[in-house]
Amino acid sequence: MTDTTSRPFKKVLIVGAGPSGLLLALLLAKHSIPVKILEAASQLDQQPRAAHYGTPAIPEFIRAGIIDQMRANGLILSTMCWRDPDSHEIIAGFDASKVLSDVDGQDLRTHCYVLQDLDELMLKEVTKLGGEVEFDAEVVGVGQDETAELGRRAWVEVKRKGKGGEVEREEADYVVGCDGANSIVRRSLFGDEFPGFTWDAQIIATNTFYDFEGKFGWHDANFIVHPENFFMAARITKDNMYRITYGETPGLTREEYIARQPAKFEQILPGHPKPDEYNIINISPYKMHQRCATKFRVGRILLAADAAHLCNPWGGLGITGGFVDVGGLVDCLVGIWENKADEDILELYSEKRIEKWKTVIDPISQENFRRVSDKDPKTRLERDEFMQLLKKGETDEVLLKDLLLGFMEVRYDFTQHYKSG
């Protein structure tokens, strides 16, 4: 048990045992900060979700101590491209194997590890370090006292399975909402206010076994550009499981989307396969959003990742940006824990992470979706500065490295605000 008598705070409660909540708990536990996760579900989420983690997230996995296991059991993606919808010829793309495989001694290429497996790995590490994770614990509200007389504590209201709907209060010094797009923590703070918009588009995400590389010579990640039949095929396991995410007609039921899937695959995939030529492990429809909370900190209650902001999945900036949020929040809480920073640094966390969403995550992710769903794929290259730079990068490794490392701009170093001395 950690001795907290000389520390500025004693406990952090995290709502949500998704990837961001688990990484936050793991990084805090590595600094001996007492931490507990409350999760409404009975187990970790098994739905097909993001499995590719971009360059800006890699430093967080390194300091969490899980990077070697991710590399041993997952994949590192080097090649990515955008393809013509008819011929499937490459419009533009890149190979990061030379320019990102050794950046100051670290491999900063996109890493891939199926999210369910990553969550299991982080859960194991959290509990090994003494962090608590409680399932079947539904948080239904949050609150706080912000006066010295009342103790300046935050709390959650919890319904636990098997207790007949009884609501119990659990207190902590800080409560962090990592409970996803429908975050009860955010809604407890702001109600239905979640500024932004929902795209008038529908996507279907699948995990599918199909030999894109062996049969067709496709890259690690492939984006097919088309106004209706856009899709992504990106490798997620060593044995040819791919995340295939494709566009569909909005407004149908889940059952209708599943019924339409075989015809859709036969139409859009290379080789025009019949259902017996691939194996779908899971399938799930998703809506896409571009939204950001007005604040990521209200007193002792904080937000991170999807609970704080959303973006469409093209380019992986949602999951990557969420992990970067977590890393920044950890630096802020560790600074307070070690008396290197005042609580004001949490206000800076809110300010800077919102700024990064507005200046990096939101505009780039919007452009990523517009690129893949372009109405005129044949002329996209001549109208797309990013694709033009990628073409130049085919013969200019310095340019390509600078271009790909430019995504590190989504990070922010909060330790620069620690007290000197």
Side-chain angles (χ1 to χ4, degrees):
M1 173 107 27
T2 302
D3 181 8
T4 61
T5 54
S6 63
R7 299 291 186 174
F9 63 90
K10 295 178 173 59
K11 182 180 179 182
V12 176
L13 268 178
I14 299 169
V15 182
S20 59
L22 288 163
L23 181 62
L24 176 59
L26 175 54
L27 289 171
L28 292 177
K30 288 182 77 71
H31 286 273
S32 300
I33 296 176
V35 62
K36 180 177 181 179
I37 300 177
L38 297 171
E39 169 57 48
S42 300
Q43 62 179 3
L44 297 175
D45 189 2
Q46 300 301 308
Q47 290 298 310
R49 296 189 183 275
H52 301 96
Y53 319 116
T55 296
I58 307 307
E60 306 310 332
F61 300 137
I62 293 171
R63 67 172 175 159
I66 58 175
I67 193 70
D68 289 342
Q69 294 175 77
M70 292 178 66
R71 289 171 178 166
N73 298 309
L75 297 170
I76 297 177
L77 276 63
S78 292
T79 55
M80 185 177 295
C81 66
W82 288 260
R83 294 179 180 272
D84 180 272
D86 300 319
S87 67
H88 291 158
E89 292 183 358
I90 295 174
I91 302 171
F94 62 86
D95 183 345
S97 57
K98 291 184 179 180
V99 297
L100 292 186
S101 60
D102 185 358
V103 180
D104 298 327
Q106 291 295 339
D107 193 330
L108 294 184
R109 287 174 289 177
T110 292
H111 283 48
C112 175
Y113 193 42
V114 175
L115 193 55
Q116 296 95 314
D117 296 338
L118 177 60
D119 285 350
E120 288 282 1
L121 170 60
M122 292 193 290
L123 175 62
K124 178 181 176 181
E125 294 299 313
V126 168
T127 54
K128 188 187 299 183
L129 291 170
E132 296 181 72
V133 183
E134 182 182 354
F135 291 94
D136 292 317
E138 180 188 3
V139 172
V140 296
V142 300
Q144 61 186 318
D145 291 316
E146 270 299 301
T147 65
E149 293 79 10
L150 294 174
R152 302 186 69 232
R153 300 281 285 174
W155 67 80
V156 296
E157 296 170 334
V158 191
K159 286 184 180 180
R160 292 181 164 90
K161 188 175 181 180
K163 294 208 172 182
E166 178 185 353
V167 176
E168 300 173 311
R169 177 181 289 195
E170 185 159 347
E171 294 187 344
D173 296 273
Y174 299 103
V175 171
V176 186
C178 291
D179 49 338
N182 296 313
S183 169
I184 184 62
V185 179
R186 187 191 66 247
R187 287 186 281 126
S188 294
L189 294 174
F190 306 118
D192 293 333
E193 181 187 4
F194 200 9
F197 69 92
T198 298
W199 292 87
D200 182 22
Q202 177 71 56
I203 59 172
I204 313 296
T206 76
N207 288 346
T208 303
F209 284 99
Y210 191 54
D211 192 3
F212 285 94
E213 181 186 28
K215 287 186 176 181
F216 309 104
W218 277 32
H219 286 3
D220 294 333
N222 310 265
F223 298 90
I224 280 58
V225 182
H226 191 274
E228 290 90 28
N229 292 326
F230 58 87
F231 73 93
M232 174 196 77
R235 185 195 299 274
I236 55 177
T237 67
K238 296 175 181 178
D239 57 350
N240 291 323
M241 182 188 286
Y242 282 74
R243 168 62 48 78
I244 303 175
T245 300
Y246 59 95
E248 253 287 14
T249 301
L252 304 182
T253 65
R254 175 184 173 86
E255 291 71 25
E256 288 172 322
Y257 288 128
I258 292 174
R260 290 162 59 94
Q261 172 273 315
K264 194 74 173 181
F265 271 22
E266 186 172 354
Q267 178 185 11
I268 67 176
L269 296 189
H272 306 290
K274 299 290 186 181
D276 62 352
E277 297 178 71
Y278 54 82
N279 181 21
I280 293 183
I281 303 304
N282 40 33
I283 179 170
S284 190
Y286 289 102
K287 298 298 288 184
M288 300 187 298
H289 312 273
Q290 305 288 139
R291 298 184 182 276
C292 185
T294 54
K295 294 181 180 179
F296 293 3
R297 182 231 181 172
V298 177
R300 291 176 170 262
I301 301 171
L302 300 137
L303 299 172
D306 282 359
H309 55 80
L310 301 172
C311 71
N312 75 77
W314 303 94
L317 282 170
I319 188 81
T320 298
F323 285 144
V324 173
D325 282 349
V326 164
L329 182 54
V330 166
D331 285 337
C332 294
L333 289 171
V334 168
I336 299 170
W337 176 256
E338 297 180 349
N339 292 299
K340 296 176 180 177
D342 298 323
E343 273 198 339
D344 289 348
I345 200 171
L346 295 175
E347 197 63 29
L348 193 65
Y349 161 77
S350 176
E351 174 189 324
K352 292 299 181 182
R353 293 316 309 158
I354 290 173
E355 178 184 303
K356 293 297 185 181
W357 184 87
K358 290 181 176 179
T359 60
V360 182
I361 294 174
D362 183 46
I364 292 178
S365 64
Q366 286 201 43
E367 185 59 24
N368 284 342
F369 179 58
R370 293 192 179 98
R371 178 176 294 115
V372 77
S373 60
D374 192 82
K375 289 181 171 55
D376 187 4
K378 305 297 183 184
T379 64
R380 182 71 204 195
L381 179 59
E382 63 192 62
R383 294 179 284 107
D384 192 320
E385 182 181 1
F386 176 68
M387 284 187 166
Q388 292 167 12
L389 289 171
L390 288 179
K391 295 297 285 186
K392 293 178 181 177
E394 292 176 359
T395 56
D396 187 338
E397 288 185 3
V398 174
L399 171 64
L400 181 60
K401 182 176 182 179
D402 289 344
L403 184 63
L404 298 181
L405 286 179
F407 293 108
M408 294 293 275
E409 181 65 23
V410 77
R411 296 178 60 83
Y412 185 84
D413 180 14
F414 290 95
T415 66
Q416 66 184 296
H417 301 286
Y418 283 3
K419 301 173 187 175
S420 57

